Amino acid sequence: MPDLPQHRPVLAGARYNGMTAAAIRLEALPEGHLLHVLGAIEPVALAAELVKVGLANSSIRKAGFRQWFVAGDAPLSPAGLDALTAALAGKAFVMDQSHGRVRIGVSGRSSRLLLSKGTVVDLDPAVFAEGSSAMTMVGHISVQIARTGDDSFELTVLRSFAESLWDELRHMAASAEKDGV
């Protein structure tokens, strides 16, 4: 049926390399899977269950008290979601948020400076180590920031705010470039 809505990645092919490729890089990440897991399950136990259902390459990020986001680049089939839901039965609930959230990569030697222009989270590696995540605001937009490497971060945002966040990040990057960072 031609009148049915078609899935279109919000930031399809969006990329930004500011100043030099090493200074600031913004990248729309694949719209793979993003699951919201709620329950009294520890990350180690959740990771073990992810391995059992073929999601070993997914990352686990704290999203609140007894809440986790499980993110990955590969799309998750309905059978995979059913398998994880069954594996976590009695321990946690799983909600597929893949259709409703978008991930943006921010990397480069000036990535912390760029993000500090929009959020109050202390991104110093001694405080916010690799694997850390925090729910925060970037400007007026609610975002989860996860540190994925020394100079790399992943921002997860509601799909309807993805383009606004992308524009805000590009604006902050241009501002940093003008400041000579």
Side-chain angles (χ1 to χ4, degrees):
M1 299 181 122
D3 59 339
L4 292 177
Q6 300 295 311
H7 176 75
R8 171 185 79 77
V10 174
L11 300 172
R15 260 201 174 83
Y16 174 85
N17 289 315
M19 296 171 275
T20 67
I24 295 175
R25 182 171 182 229
L26 306 177
E27 180 181 15
L29 298 175
E31 291 188 14
H33 63 273
L34 186 76
L35 307 174
H36 193 177
V37 178
L38 295 96
I41 188 167
E42 294 300 318
V44 173
L46 178 55
E49 297 298 339
L50 292 174
V51 169
K52 290 177 189 175
V53 297
L55 294 175
N57 293 331
S58 299
S59 64
I60 301 170
R61 294 146 184 197
K62 188 159 184 65
F65 179 69
R66 294 185 173 177
Q67 296 183 49
W68 311 96
F69 280 141
V70 174
D73 292 343
L76 184 61
S77 69
L81 180 59
D82 290 344
L84 181 60
T85 301
L88 295 178
K91 302 175 214 166
F93 296 96
V94 180
M95 292 173 289
D96 187 3
Q97 296 289 304
S98 306
H99 63 285
R101 296 185 190 255
V102 173
R103 298 177 303 132
I104 298 172
V106 178
S107 61
R109 69 175 184 272
S110 297
S111 57
R112 281 191 297 136
L113 179 63
L114 168 74
L115 292 173
S116 71
K117 289 178 170 282
T119 186
V120 298
V121 174
D122 186 350
L123 299 173
D124 185 278
V127 177
F128 198 76
E130 187 173 340
S132 296
S133 63
M135 296 299 294
T136 187
M137 302 292 281
V138 173
H140 70 284
I141 302 169
S142 179
V143 174
Q144 182 191 49
I145 297 178
R147 181 179 224 116
T148 58
D150 190 39
D151 286 327
S152 60
F153 299 86
E154 191 172 292
L155 282 60
T156 303
V157 62
L158 288 171
R159 182 179 199 84
S160 58
F161 288 104
E163 289 176 322
S164 292
L165 178 61
W166 182 264
D167 289 343
E168 185 69 21
L169 291 169
R170 288 189 57 207
H171 178 74
M172 291 186 312
S175 172
E177 188 172 1
K178 286 178 187 173
D179 294 344
V181 177

